[in-house]
Structures are given as C-alpha cells and as structure tokens.
Amino acid sequence: MANNEKIKIVWFRNDLRLHDNAALTSAIETADKIIPVYILDPRNFHDNQFGFQKTGIFRTRFLWDCVHDLNNNLKQIGSDLIIRSGYPERILPELCKQFSVTSVYYNKEVAPEEIAVEKRLENELLKIDVNLKDTWCSTLYTKKELAFSIPRMPDVFADFRKKTERESVCSAPIPAPGKIVTPDISEPGELPPLSDIINEEFVADERDSNHFKGGETNALIHLHNYFWVSQDVRHYHDTRNELVGKSYSSKFSPWLALGCLSPRRIYQELKKFELEVEENKSTQWLKLELMWRDFFRFSMEKHFDKYFTLTGIRTKNSMELSNDKRKFLQWAEGRTGVEFIDASMHELNKTGFMSNRARQVVASYLVHDMGINWLMGAAYFESKLIDYDVCSNYCNWAYISGVGNDPRPERYFDVARQARTYDPKGEFRKLWLSGEENYAA
C-alpha cells in the first residue's frame, strides 16, 4: 500500500444503493481507493420503551435482502462490502486505523437516534485525525435547493408545497459508478443468520399480494415495471385509497425507506413518462406524495426530538391519553371487535404492510376512539412495517393525533364511514378476518 494513497470509507446506512448516492460519489471523486462498509448496529434490534423489538421480522428480512444485493452490485464493479456487527463509533475508527483511511463519508440522517450515533462517531474519529464528511441524498429536493432555510420552513404542507414548486428545482439523480477500486480485504464479513438477531420466525401468508424483495436491483425492476410495463401510474390518483391487491399504489415505499431507490430517480422516470406517454392528475399526485416525504423529513430536522413526545410540535396536548397495555394489545392484535380496524392490523401483523388509507384510520381509532398514547402506536408501526421510515412514521402519527403539522386541531376518521367508502363490499375485511382463529367481531 503506497504511503501517499488516499483511502476513504463510505459508511452505508439507509442509502443501500449505488445510483444517486452522494456520499459514494463524493468519496470516489477524492480518493484513490474506496472501502464500502455496512454495520449492523445491535441498538436497532433492542426492545423499545414500550417493549416492542425496534426492528421486527419483516423489516429485518427485507434489510438482509438489501445488504446482500448491495454487496453483489459492488462486486460487479470491482469492489466489496465490509460487513460488521457492532457500534459504528467503535468499528469505523478501527477500520480507519487498519487501512490508513483519511476520511469517512456518509449520507446524513435527521432523527435523534441517528444523529447521536453520528456525533459519537465524529468524536472518536477526531481522536485519530480522520475527517467525517456528510452528504445529503434522502430527499427529492436537497436542502440547498429549497427556497427557505430549515428553521424558517413552513409547518403546513400546503405552504411548503406552493413555495417549493414555485421557487425550487430538483437536480437530476447522480449516475451509479461504473467502477470502484477497493483495497484487498481478507475478511469482508457477512450478515449473521436472521435467527441470531431476531427471536421471531418469518412465515409467508398466502394472502400477501406484494412479496417485497429488498435491494436496489429489485427496486429498479419495480420502477421500470410500474411506469413502462403495467403503466399503473396512469390510474394512481383513482386507486391510491384502495385496500386489496398489488397495483393500487406505487409500492415504492419499502425501497425508499432503506434507500435502495432514490426519490430523484423516481421523479426522473415520472417526468419521462409525462413527456412520452401522459401527464395527468395521477402523475401529479405521485409527485405530491414524494413532496410529502420531503416535507416530513425536513420537518423532523426542524423540530427534531419534539416528534417523540406526547405533545409533538405543539405546546400542549388537550387529550388525555392512556398507556393501558391491555387496551393497546386489543388494537395491536386486531381484537377490538371493529372489523375494519382488526382486518387492517391482521394484514400488518401477517405481512408487514398496510395501505396508507388503513394506516390513517387505525391510527385515528387508537388515539381518538380508544384514547391510547399515540407514541405506542408509532412504536408498534416501527417494529412491524416493512417500509418503516422514522420521519414519515412519527410525523404522520403526530399529524393524525393533532400534535403535528396539521392546522386543524384534530384529524378524526369515522371508521364506519371509512369502511363504507373504501371497502363497500367488505372484500378487504373478509380477506383478512376469514380463517383467523377465535375472531368474532
């Protein structure tokens, strides 16, 4: 190894892709050799304050797919992925010393737990004179492209959207690298068996129409199929609130959550579709959903840990909310006796997925009908959802609970009305309640 050789680490987290990866691209531009690293942090698999494992079986299995696919894609362009289990603030400094690394590049997160890890890592790297370089690649618009600073961003989505659409332009996604030069690594490591990490067995449910498979490769296949094979995007506005099947919504969210798919890559394909095929209310609505995702991520950066308190970003919460575990488990296990709620929770528990419409309704029911602490519901979703994203999850729960980014004091969903509107023939309820042992509405 030449003494003047610049070797840099790229630390992968929720950015498990080669395309449009700012940290990877920036490191390649300034280094002679790159060492890609993924670290399985045990803190992400501990029980949370309410006793749920932070990362359940569906999320974990999907994550394994994503890391394996990233490793395969790196190997195809001459590189390799170092995989370790432990604390990043301990492992990365050791790798830096082992390979004489000058800088560690990573894509910045915004939530408190992730930021805490970044700060601990920075402190450890300072001790060995290694630079920690952060980049940004998780949103459609970068912070520099916004028409306002984060502290001054609007707290209401409509205001955020209008100003952003009027004054901001998102840049094109960065192409994936064609080649990466990596030092010889004698022990790159591998992910441990799922059973070593999580005490829960994966059982496929025949009613699951999605069968999500993690990784950038599958994400790009799904992107192509959605726009150019099925062209389901043409009907997105009309079908997005449906409950049964695979094609009623885009289903990009699992790959977006772990960064297998860039929002700018989706938007690039969307604009191409509008130019070559059709621009309509559905294509416009898909961009709207990408902007909602941006809005929640930037809101999390602005308000930070307030989204993890009962009062959210409000100064007070007028509701009296309980931590009654018995009542909560009736909701979580789909035993409320309200068919729409129970069917939705059964789908979540059996597949790791739930439609956007159902998420809003079950959240409203837990908070406004049952009077249960919304943070318990958010933590349960964190454990179960295959597409869990910290910003979208906690900001949405705060929104529904009346303590988030909503100008209205309460966003209540009448369950009976929702069932009549979105499941008029009862197909969804029948699908997820039939065959359930001991179920009686």
Side-chain angles (χ1 to χ4, degrees):
M1 185 183 298
N3 291 332
N4 60 351
E5 201 170 51
K6 292 182 180 178
I7 301 176
K8 304 195 175 182
I9 281 176
V10 177
W11 174 34
F12 286 89
R13 291 193 291 173
N14 295 318
D15 53 350
L16 302 177
R17 64 177 186 265
L18 302 185
H19 77 274
D20 200 30
N21 192 318
L24 181 61
T25 302
S26 298
I28 290 172
E29 289 173 348
T30 57
D32 298 307
K33 292 183 179 180
I34 298 295
I35 302 177
V37 178
Y38 181 80
I39 300 171
L40 192 68
D41 191 331
R43 290 170 294 209
N44 294 328
F45 298 88
H46 290 169
D47 286 352
N48 59 31
Q49 60 177 317
F50 300 113
F52 317 127
Q53 188 165 35
K54 284 175 65 64
T55 308
I57 186 62
F58 295 106
R59 284 182 61 202
T60 304
R61 191 169 179 265
F62 190 81
L63 171 63
W64 258 233
D65 291 340
C66 296
V67 175
H68 282 303
D69 186 67
L70 175 64
N71 195 10
N72 290 337
N73 291 340
L74 284 166
K75 289 179 184 296
Q76 289 178 18
I77 56 174
S79 186
D80 205 350
L81 181 67
I82 287 185
I83 301 174
R84 297 287 186 267
S85 295
Y87 300 143
E89 62 267 31
R90 296 179 186 174
I91 291 172
L92 288 167
E94 288 301 317
L95 290 173
C96 288
K97 288 185 282 188
Q98 180 183 348
F99 292 98
S100 301
V101 169
T102 57
S103 301
V104 174
Y105 283 74
Y106 74 103
N107 288 305
K108 193 163 184 60
E109 293 286 343
V110 299
E113 290 181 357
E114 289 78 3
I115 294 294
V117 175
E118 293 173 13
K119 288 182 177 178
R120 286 193 288 267
L121 173 61
E122 185 176 30
N123 290 335
E124 294 303 314
L125 291 179
L126 280 172
K127 296 176 184 177
I128 58 173
D129 198 28
V130 173
N131 295 317
L132 183 61
K133 304 280 191 178
D134 67 82
T135 53
W136 186 272
C137 78
S138 59
T139 49
L140 181 60
Y141 296 90
T142 66
K143 287 188 284 188
K144 293 180 180 179
E145 291 166 346
L146 294 176
F148 36 74
S149 65
I150 297 301
R152 297 174 66 93
M153 73 167 283
D155 280 332
V156 175
F157 175 70
D159 298 335
F160 170 86
R161 178 194 177 191
K162 289 174 185 176
K163 192 168 181 63
T164 301
E165 288 187 326
R166 185 171 61 244
E167 301 181 31
S168 303
V169 177
C170 65
S171 54
I174 307 166
K179 182 181 180 181
I180 296 177
V181 179
T182 295
D184 291 333
I185 301 170
S186 58
E187 296 181 5
E190 59 184 17
L191 289 173
L194 281 171
S195 57
D196 289 357
I197 298 296
I198 184 166
N199 186 26
E200 186 179 352
E201 184 181 356
F202 174 80
V203 179
D205 193 294
E206 62 182 11
R207 294 167 292 184
D208 185 1
S209 59
N210 293 301
H211 304 294
F212 293 113
K213 181 77 172 174
E216 180 180 17
T217 302
N218 287 296
L220 293 174
I221 290 172
H222 179 70
L223 178 72
H224 173 77
N225 288 342
Y226 184 71
F227 282 104
W228 305 108
V229 178
S230 68
Q231 296 191 353
D232 285 327
V233 66
R234 300 173 74 171
H235 316 292
Y236 175 71
H237 179 266
D238 300 324
T239 62
R240 73 190 192 284
N241 284 314
E242 292 181 6
L243 303 166
V244 178
K246 185 176 182 178
S247 60
Y248 61 81
S249 64
S250 72
K251 304 293 173 64
F252 290 137
S253 57
W255 294 288
L256 280 169
L258 282 175
C260 303
L261 187 59
S262 158
R264 295 195 296 187
R265 181 69 183 83
I266 295 174
Y267 186 60
Q268 181 185 56
E269 209 70 12
L270 176 64
K271 296 307 292 182
K272 181 182 178 184
F273 184 87
E274 288 181 330
L275 183 65
E276 297 181 9
V277 182
E278 180 181 2
E279 178 180 359
N280 60 20
K281 194 170 185 178
S282 290
T283 60
Q284 295 165 3
W285 205 270
L286 184 59
K287 184 191 177 184
L288 177 81
E289 297 295 351
L290 291 174
M291 293 189 70
W292 264 110
R293 186 176 174 277
D294 273 19
F295 176 67
F296 281 148
R297 186 156 292 261
F298 292 130
S299 293
M300 178 74 73
E301 183 167 19
K302 177 180 179 179
H303 295 288
F304 202 50
D305 55 1
K306 289 183 179 179
Y307 283 109
F308 300 89
T309 64
L310 197 59
T311 55
I313 66 172
R314 307 298 179 189
T315 55
K316 63 180 181 178
N317 186 357
S318 60
M319 293 185 295
E320 292 290 332
L321 297 177
S322 165
N323 284 358
D324 187 320
K325 194 67 177 285
R326 182 189 63 82
K327 287 178 66 178
F328 175 81
L329 287 176
Q330 289 178 346
W331 174 86
E333 296 171 0
R335 296 185 289 104
T336 67
V338 180
E339 288 189 346
F340 191 89
I341 301 300
D342 294 346
S344 300
M345 298 309 296
H346 288 173
E347 180 184 23
L348 173 64
N349 293 331
K350 292 297 179 69
T351 70
F353 191 79
M354 184 191 292
S355 71
N356 182 60
R357 173 58 52 178
R359 294 181 201 199
Q360 295 178 76
V361 178
V362 300
S364 172
Y365 185 82
L366 181 71
V367 175
H368 300 299
D369 289 285
M370 299 184 76
I372 299 296
N373 182 349
W374 68 270
L375 291 169
M376 295 179 73
Y380 192 74
F381 271 24
E382 178 177 355
S383 177
K384 294 294 184 179
L385 281 174
I386 199 169
D387 60 355
Y388 168 76
D389 171 279
V390 59
C391 302
S392 295
N393 184 62
Y394 279 87
C395 290
N396 262 315
W397 270 93
Y399 186 91
I400 293 293
S401 304
V403 295
N405 303 80
D406 195 337
R408 293 186 290 180
E410 183 177 296
R411 187 169 285 270
Y412 176 74
F413 288 80
D414 183 299
V415 179
R417 182 178 179 183
Q418 294 290 313
R420 288 194 303 269
T421 303
Y422 299 106
D423 190 30
K425 298 180 180 179
E427 295 173 349
F428 171 72
R429 282 165 286 178
K430 182 179 179 181
L431 177 65
W432 290 105
L433 297 180
S434 62
E436 294 295 329
E437 291 183 12
N438 304 321
Y439 181 80

